[in-house]
Amino acid sequence: MAQTVPASDPAKVRLSIDVSKPGPKIDRNIFGQFAEHLGQGVYKGIWVGPESTIPNTRGIRNDVVKALHAIRVPNVRWPGGCFADEYHWRKGIGPQREVTLNPNWGGVVEPNTFGTHEFMDFLDQIGSEAYLSVNVGSGTPQEAAEWLEYLTTTQPTTLGKKRAANGHPTPYKIPYLGIGNESWDCGGNMTADYYLSQLKIYSRFVRNFNAAQQGQQQMQKIAVGPGGDEPRFVEWTESVMKAWQKHQWSWDMQGLSMHNYTVVHWDKKFASVGFGETEYSQFLKETLSMEGLVSKYSTIMDKYDPQKKIPLVIDEWGAWYAPLPGSNPGFLVQQNSLRDAILAALNLNIFARHADRVRMTNIAQMINVLQAMIMTDEEKMVLTPTYYVYKMYVPFQDAIFVPVAFNAGTYTHGDVSLPRVDAIAAKDATGKLWLEITNLDPNQSIEIEAALAGSNVKSAVGQTLTAPKVDSVNTFERPSTVVPKPISTSVQGGKLTLKLEPKSVTVISVEQ
Ligand code: AHR
């Protein structure tokens, strides 16, 4: 059926890709995940136990491992979140696990059957790396130091021998270490000065003894940074960065965390499903505020760290909606729709455009919680629209950012105006060019014409993700409502043309 382009619509969006001006590397860690002991994120989502009838390897679900392996998860942040500041690692090792509580998240029982070794095994199975959050809120520097000794020493210390006795004689690699979580709120309500005194102590004494992680490969210690737009977070960021600029030899940090969720009203959260264009456009407008926040905190960091040694690590981000009716409100269960796929693409593009400063992020959270990749129900598993965005973006991991110029135009609904189009480009290690284009407009398709400055497009192939409605979801019964499909492209006179479906995320590989 022929489609008519309304007269008010610019017929085409022209993209100009300048491969002669490569930018920074889009660090693969930008595609990191977060798995907290929260609801069914770990228990039932990852861990079912070796005795389960659900197919598993040493207690870890095979279906989930296979799905995560395919999206090349670079790192997983664990065990929290707020949970991290109440976690005591010794309760989760050895044959006898202590049964405790999880007061933050529903007050449920924490069996500690998924502990240090199970987490490291999970990482091995999915091919990922550890980002541990140590307990600053209710733990001690000694407890955290002993955890790292347990994990990383090769010496025959009591803790080293205990690790071997518990099944892992060789030391573990711990590339990333978070020192506290939201220490300005759930992590202990600290002032910036109080937190800084803790940071200095933890940074000094929580050592990584793994011989392979000295010098260049040293563990990256990530300090608590801002959590949104409030003035107190400006002060916090200033204090931590200012202290770091003048830091003594005896302490250091290699990253500053930032948290920012997309929520329109915390006290009256949007629904994750069963919404229309109004909520679609309002929510996407809200998510685009990530750009302002990243710019704002990058500017502060630039003042104290003009060489950009310290990455801004956005280790919690994503959509936060009202809990699904009938679910435990402490479990943060929500649906994941086409809107979330578009939201993920917009945020990943913001991070890519700031790749000189943003070198690691962790979407919240991996399974069954908030903006998840995967949802499970006993033996059933479904991949969400957000999962498919992460899959489509795999070629952007460690690719070199390439500038794309375009006039985005405007999509308007009621009093909300958004750019119609968003796009990024990057070159991978083999020299192949990748282009991502998002059409935010839920009603109009868009003709794209892409040209390369100083070279010709020879051919292009790609995939697009869209669905009938802005709130279309994948369910256990219908898992393929929002899945990527091939998109047809044409190349003429060295230029690439294609038509983007309304409300779609598209990734194209371009041969030049
Ligand atoms: O991701 C859920 C919670 O949100 C985390 O535990 C906490 O750090 C944040 O407030």
Side-chain angles (χ1 to χ4, degrees), residues 34 36 38 81-82 105 181-182 259 261 316 320 365 370:
F34 173 34
E36 181 166 10
L38 192 176
C82 299
W105 304 116
N181 170 74
E182 299 192 354
H259 290 182
Y261 286 96
E316 287 190 28
W320 192 319
Q365 298 194 5
L370 299 175

Side-chain angles (χ1 to χ4, degrees), residues 196-232:
L196 264 168
S197 64
Q198 299 296 302
L199 174 65
K200 291 173 186 173
I201 293 169
Y202 276 75
S203 162
R204 170 86 184 115
F205 297 112
V206 184
R207 295 184 171 99
N208 186 317
F209 297 101
N210 189 328
Q213 287 197 262
Q214 308 307 316
Q216 291 282 329
Q217 296 301 311
Q218 70 171 307
M219 180 173 72
Q220 310 288 293
K221 294 177 183 172
I222 297 159
V224 171
D229 209 15
E230 298 161 43
R232 64 176 174 142

